[in-house]
Every structure is written in C-alpha cells, then in structure tokens.
C-alpha cells in the first residue's frame, strides 16, 4: 500500500478490505460463495442484494475491484481493457434491481437481506458497526471461494507550499503517529482492522477497551481468511477513476433508469 502512494504520502492505517458479503442468518441460510451462486441467489430473491455506488463507498469499490480476480479476468489492474467478464457480470439483470446511490445504509432497514461489505469502518462490515449497534450483532459474514483480498489504507499527505516552520511541525506529527504506541490506538473499535500500518504492533499493545471490543465482536474466521487468500493492492488512482466512471455510465445509470 505504501508503494501505491508513489512516494507522495505515508500510510497511517491498514486493513485487508474484502470483498465480503454480510447477511442476516435468519433469512439467508446458505450465503453465496461464488459469483455464479450470487447471480442465482439474486434471481431467486429479487431486489434483496444491494451494494453502494463504488465511487461513493468503500465496500462498493472493494466489491467492484474484487470481481476481476473472482471471475478470472485477463487483467484485474485494467478496468477498461481487462475487465470483460466483470462488466458483463455487473450488467447481468439478475444481479441488481436497485443500487444504493448514497453511502451504505443500515443492512437491516426495510426488507434488505444482503450487502456487499468489507472488513473495517463504521459504515462497512468490521467490528465497530456491531459494537455501536449500527449493524445487528447477529449478522454474519461470508467470503467468496478463492477470493483475493483488495486491501485498503488511509494516508497522511502534506500539501505543497507549507512554510518551513509549519512543515517541521507537520513532519513531527506524522512521525509521532507512526510510533508503535500511537499505532496501537488504531485498533480502536475495529474502524480499520487490524489497523496498524507498521510492523510489530499487536492487539495486546492496544488499550483494553479496544481489546474488549475486538474480543467480543471479532470474527475468528477473519484470521483464517487473511492467511488463506492472496492479497492485492487496489487500483492506482487513474485506473480507479476510470472504473468509477465506467460503472456510473454503464451500470449505475441503467439501474437508476429502471
């Protein structure tokens, strides 16, 4: 993820993001584990699977960028020339009958039964939404068979033109935030999980409140999935913007018309 910044920023938190599926176990007894199963599920449960507009949603963009790996597209890093299978999948009329135009709603609103999610953030899957009561505690998560993690991060960036005295203070703050003691605080309530962007910072170093939340609301299968499935960086900025534009024009616009 640091290489993705192209020497223009420093990663300050990190998480393996997804794509994952979140579901209500009371109504979804056997969640899909492949893209084909997802299409079949959507056909049998019209308007019950939703994901948010990728340009406006972390889980939405992770779902978008994870599909080329799941579907075996020729170049997962090229959304224009290498995603033939992905765009065909996204345009399949069985997949979606409504798309959330805004940031993700609570998955328990109304009659919705499934949402594309990923691993952290209060608006995403993770531990914090259930700890805060945004998502019902009983909700479960499913991983696709043979998935590839598309990781996520947040960066610290210094704008050009800062006076030397201000720049010195900013650099001191950035260095401070990368110290192990401060990185341990990024476990938080699972907003980004695991959170730390530097090596050697374990959950045992985090505040007890963080440890308690993750112990209660964590999912043991995460650790298995993190070790089992390969990891990839997200698209670089120009390619990601191109993917967002194409989704808006060819997928989102059609769904909105319907």
């Amino acid at each position: 993820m640091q290489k993705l910044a192209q020497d223009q920023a420093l990663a300050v938190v990190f998480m393996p993001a997804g794509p994952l599926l979140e579901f209500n176990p009371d109504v979804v007894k056997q969640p899909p584990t492949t893209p084909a199963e997802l299409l079949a599920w959507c056909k049998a449960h019209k308007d019950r699977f939703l994901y948010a507009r990728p340009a406006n949603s972390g889980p939405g963009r992770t779902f978008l960028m994870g599909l080329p790996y799941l579907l075996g597209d020729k170049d997962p890093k090229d959304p224009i020339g290498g995603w033939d299978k992905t765009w065909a999948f996204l345009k399949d009329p069985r997949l979606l009958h409504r798309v959330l135009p805004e940031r993700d709603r609570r998955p328990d609103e109304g009659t919705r039964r499934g949402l594309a999610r990923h691993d952290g953030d209060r608006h995403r899957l993770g531990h914090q939404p259930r700890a805060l009561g945004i998502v019902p505690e009983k909700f479960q998560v499913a991983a696709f068979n043979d998935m590839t993690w598309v990781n996520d991060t947040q960066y610290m960036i210094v704008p050009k033109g800062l006076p030397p005295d201000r720049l010195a203070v900013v650099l001191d703050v950035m260095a401070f935030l990368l110290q192990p003691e401060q990185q341990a605080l990024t476990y938080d309530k699972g907003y980004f999980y695991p959170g730390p962007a530097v090596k050697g910072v374990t959950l045992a170093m985090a505040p007890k409140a963080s440890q308690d939340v993750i112990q209660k609301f964590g999912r043991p299968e995460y650790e298995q999935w993190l070790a089992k499935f390969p990891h990839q960086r997200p698209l670089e900025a120009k390619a990601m913007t191109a993917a967002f534009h194409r989704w808006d024009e060819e997928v989102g616009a059609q769904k909105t018309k319907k």
Side-chain angles (χ1 to χ4, degrees), residues 36-56:
E37 288 181 4
L38 178 58
L39 289 181
W41 190 93
C42 291
K43 181 179 180 180
H45 304 85
K46 183 178 178 180
D47 202 18
R48 292 296 184 268
F49 172 80
L50 298 177
Y51 69 96
R53 176 175 174 249
N56 207 35

Side-chain angles (χ1 to χ4, degrees), residues 14-29:
F14 169 81
M15 71 172 177
L20 301 171
L21 297 176
E22 180 181 33
F23 64 96
N24 182 347
D26 291 342
V27 294
V28 180
K29 303 302 181 182

Side-chain angles (χ1 to χ4, degrees), residues 40-105:
W41 190 93
C42 291
K43 181 179 180 180
H45 304 85
K46 183 178 178 180
D47 202 18
R48 292 296 184 268
F49 172 80
L50 298 177
Y51 69 96
R53 176 175 174 249
N56 207 35
S57 163
R61 71 171 180 264
T62 303
F63 179 64
L64 176 70
M65 290 186 289
L67 282 173
Y69 297 100
L70 287 168
L71 295 168
D73 259 321
K74 63 181 180 181
D75 188 354
K77 298 295 187 182
D78 182 3
I80 303 304
W83 284 18
D84 291 348
K85 295 178 181 179
T86 294
W87 295 119
F89 180 88
L90 290 168
K91 296 175 189 177
D92 192 302
R94 294 172 292 176
L95 180 61
L96 290 171
H97 298 273
R98 291 180 60 193
V99 176
L100 297 177
E102 66 280 358
R103 287 190 63 85
D104 318 1
R105 296 174 184 164

Side-chain angles (χ1 to χ4, degrees), residues 11 13 15 26 40 47 56 64 68 81 88 102-103 110 113 120 130 144 155 160 165 189 211 254:
V13 290
M15 71 172 177
D26 291 342
D47 202 18
N56 207 35
L64 176 70
E102 66 280 358
R103 287 190 63 85
R113 299 182 182 180
R130 289 183 296 131
F144 289 99
Y155 294 103
K160 291 182 179 180
D165 55 341
K189 294 181 175 64
Q211 297 183 43
Q254 297 305 312

